Each structure stands twice: as structure tokens, then as C-alpha cells.
Amino acid sequence: MRSRVSKPIPVTNSPEVTRSSADLLADFLRLKISANTRRNYSKAIADFCSRTYNNEVSEKLLTQFLSLQQPEAVYQVLQYRQLLIEAKLAPSTINVRLSALKSFVDYARTVERCNFNLADATCLKVESYGDTTGIEVAGFKEMLLIPDRSTVKGIRDYAILRLLWDNALRRNEICSLDVCDFDKSGRLAILGKGKIQKSQVDLSPATTIAISQWLAARDKYRSSDPLFISLDRRSKGHRLDGSTIYRLVRKFSESAGIDKIVSPHRIRHTAITAYLDASDGNIRAAQSLSRHANLNTLNRYDDNRHKYQAIATNTLADLV
């Protein structure tokens, strides 16, 4: 049975209200340092307006939402959460959209534009990194052979694959890189997940050479330009986006004959697990590589690597 959806709410026509609401939303989004976070939060607020009010996001509509009393505001957001669940969105996606709304409301409260909070509109419980399985190391070695390094695109793609593996970078961390973030001495400044300041990581000699060759093959560039750019005719010179990196990884994995669906994050899982195997479970170094703040996440990688659950299950089976 479909959850009750609130009817479209009436809006006012005050130019002053419209202007201040536009400023409020724009100021809120500007506070998000990461371009990816700004994009996701903007999308989440638009999705809330679409699903809840059957309307496009607008300053006046947001003003009306922020003027609600506590019970109705929480009810509407909980109804929105239920709609996302019924749409079978991933719990992590649902939580990002709820977090965007809660963050926007918190900002509005700070500047005295609303009187409620969404503390009671809780996020879903997510078991993170339950599946940390990756691919065989030999499979990734085959992927590295696919890019045609006699072409500019092949040189670029090879450098991206090296960063995905050697430094276990996330695709958004690669997308956010600028030319000035790369130091030919073998250092790279990255904007980690959930961070507002970039931090330095060391590069392998192979990756340092790969990025240097990519920059040498490029047209003229400035230090403030994106490190990795699109080479397609329609978007040439623009910052490479995450979906493009996902597609090139899928293409190379299929060309390498890998049966699994391979994503940039699966390569990250593979790299972390492969390091744990090669280092006999050096969790401390693996934490520096992965940049996971919570050691429990690395313990899941290690548990999956040893297949402790399978060992326990088979031991019990042998007892009866």
C-alpha cells in the first residue's frame, strides 16, 4: 500500500521571500566544499520536492517547508523516507538524501529561518563493507594492459588505473584532482571522503611516471586546471566525471575477460585486500592506504580475506 503523500502546498508570491529563500539555498550549497557533495545535496533537495510536493524545487516552496511546525515537518520527511524505501533505493542513497535535508534544515535554524529540527527523522542502518570481495590480482594486471599507451587517451586511462590500484583512490577523489595537486617528486594532494582539506599521499614511481606522461601528452594547461579531463569531442577539456571513470573501468574489465562486474570501488576493495595478503595482515599500513578512520572497517576486510565465517560454518558441519 502506497504511503500517503502530502498534497502540493500553497505558495506565496512575495518577491522578498523568494529572494531570501534563493539566497538561503545558494549559501547552504556553497558551504559544501566538495563539488560532489554540492551536487548530491542539490539533487536530494530537488528529489524531496518532486516526490513530496509533486513540484520542482523553488525558493517559495522551500520557504513554505521551512515554515512548518515540528510534527508536520518530521512527518513529511519520514513519508519521503518511506517513498525512497518503496522505490528500492539503496540504504546509503536514502541516507545521503536524508542527510542533505537535515543539513539544510540545521543551516536554516542557524540563520533563524525555521523553528524545527529533523533529529527524529533517522537514517537507515547500513552494514558498511559487508562485501569486500574484489577480483583476482592477475585480472587487474590484464586490465593494465588494455589501454593503448601510444594514444593520449590510453596514457590518461593508464594513469587513472594506476591511481585506483596503487593508492586505492575513490573515483571522486580522482575527479577532484587539479594539476597543482601533483608533485613530480611523487606526492599527490587529495580531497578524501568527507574531508574539507586536501591531504598528501605518496605515489609509487610507476604512478608518478604515468601521471607525468599524461601531463606531457596533454595540450597546454594551467596549474589550476583539472588533472584529468575529458577527451570526447562534446566535452573535451572539461573535468572528467565519476561516471566516465566507471565506464572505462567496466570496458577494460570486460576486455580483460573478467566475469564479475568491476567498478572503481571494487578495484579499491581488491587493492586493499591484496595489500593485506602481501603484508600478512598489516592493518596499520592498510589503514594509511585506505584512509579509513574506523579500524573496524579494515577488520572486515581482514575477516573476509581469511574467510573466518566459512571456516566456522564448515567446522560446525563436520561435527554432525
Side-chain angles (χ1 to χ4, degrees):
M1 182 177 178
R2 188 175 177 83
S3 302
R4 181 173 74 86
V5 180
S6 301
K7 294 180 180 180
I9 55 178
V11 295
T12 63
N13 295 311
S14 167
E16 181 177 353
V17 171
T18 299
R19 185 171 60 254
S20 60
S21 296
D23 291 343
L24 181 72
L25 180 58
D27 289 345
F28 165 69
L29 292 174
R30 273 196 294 269
L31 290 174
K32 304 303 164 187
I33 303 299
S34 164
N36 187 59
T37 300
R38 288 196 299 271
R39 184 166 53 250
N40 286 338
Y41 275 29
S42 178
K43 180 179 178 180
I45 293 171
D47 185 68
F48 172 72
C49 292
S50 175
R51 293 180 191 266
T52 302
Y53 302 124
N54 301 316
N55 210 335
E56 293 183 356
V57 63
S58 70
E59 300 87 348
K60 292 182 286 187
L61 189 134
L62 289 174
T63 298
Q64 293 295 328
F65 169 66
L66 294 174
S67 68
L68 294 175
Q69 295 300 309
Q70 176 82 19
E72 179 63 15
V74 172
Y75 174 78
Q76 286 190 3
V77 174
L78 289 177
Q79 289 296 98
Y80 172 62
R81 184 183 70 177
Q82 185 60 32
L83 289 175
L84 298 180
I85 293 172
E86 291 173 359
K88 301 187 183 303
L89 271 66
S92 58
T93 301
I94 295 174
N95 288 345
V96 167
R97 297 189 181 179
L98 292 176
S99 295
L101 285 171
K102 295 169 84 167
S103 182
F104 177 58
V105 166
D106 287 345
Y107 176 72
R109 278 172 56 84
T110 300
V111 297
E112 300 182 343
R113 286 296 310 279
C114 80
N115 297 313
F116 63 85
N117 67 74
L118 296 176
D120 293 329
T122 57
C123 293
L124 303 181
K125 185 176 181 180
V126 179
E127 182 64 32
S128 61
Y129 300 101
D131 178 13
T132 60
T133 58
I135 59 177
E136 296 294 329
V137 175
F140 185 76
K141 289 177 71 173
E142 287 294 321
M143 288 178 61
L144 278 177
L145 298 175
I146 303 299
D148 181 359
R149 293 162 66 188
S150 67
T151 66
V152 176
K153 183 179 183 302
I155 294 172
R156 182 202 67 182
D157 294 349
Y158 179 79
I160 290 172
L161 288 177
R162 295 241 52 130
L163 283 171
L164 288 170
W165 178 263
D166 292 0
N167 289 87
L169 292 192
R170 302 172 178 90
R171 58 176 167 169
N172 287 330
E173 291 171 339
I174 293 176
C175 293
S176 65
L177 291 170
D178 294 325
V179 172
C180 61
D181 294 327
F182 173 62
D183 188 325
K184 291 184 179 180
S185 67
R187 301 274 286 171
L188 189 68
I190 66 168
L191 184 63
K193 182 180 179 181
K195 305 297 183 182
I196 62 174
Q197 289 185 325
K198 292 187 175 183
S199 58
Q200 295 282 333
V201 298
D202 292 304
L203 300 175
S204 70
T207 300
T208 303
I209 293 172
I211 296 175
S212 297
Q213 290 176 339
W214 155 241
L215 289 175
R218 274 180 64 173
D219 293 332
K220 293 180 180 179
Y221 56 82
R222 297 168 299 180
S223 63
S224 58
D225 287 344
L227 180 58
F228 293 105
I229 58 172
S230 172
L231 299 173
D232 294 339
R233 184 174 301 175
R234 288 183 301 175
S235 56
K236 187 174 182 179
H238 293 159
R239 184 180 297 274
L240 205 64
D241 60 28
S243 60
T244 301
I245 294 179
Y246 179 87
R247 286 194 298 271
L248 71 86
V249 166
R250 285 291 305 275
K251 182 184 73 173
F252 292 149
S253 65
E254 290 170 359
S255 298
I258 299 173
D259 293 333
K260 282 186 176 181
I261 294 177
V262 182
S263 65
H265 214 68
R266 190 176 288 278
I267 293 177
R268 173 175 161 83
H269 286 326
T270 303
I272 295 169
T273 302
Y275 173 74
L276 286 168
D277 281 336
S279 65
D280 196 24
N282 188 335
I283 296 291
R284 183 178 294 277
Q287 184 180 29
S288 296
L289 170 70
S290 66
R291 303 171 309 283
H292 282 305
N294 190 346
L295 272 177
N296 288 331
T297 303
L298 269 300
N299 287 330
R300 289 194 184 95
Y301 279 92
D302 207 34
D303 289 349
N304 289 342
R305 180 174 69 93
H306 286 292
K307 300 187 182 300
Y308 287 134
Q309 178 267 312
I311 292 172
T313 293
N314 290 328
T315 298
L316 289 172
D318 291 341
L319 294 178
V320 296

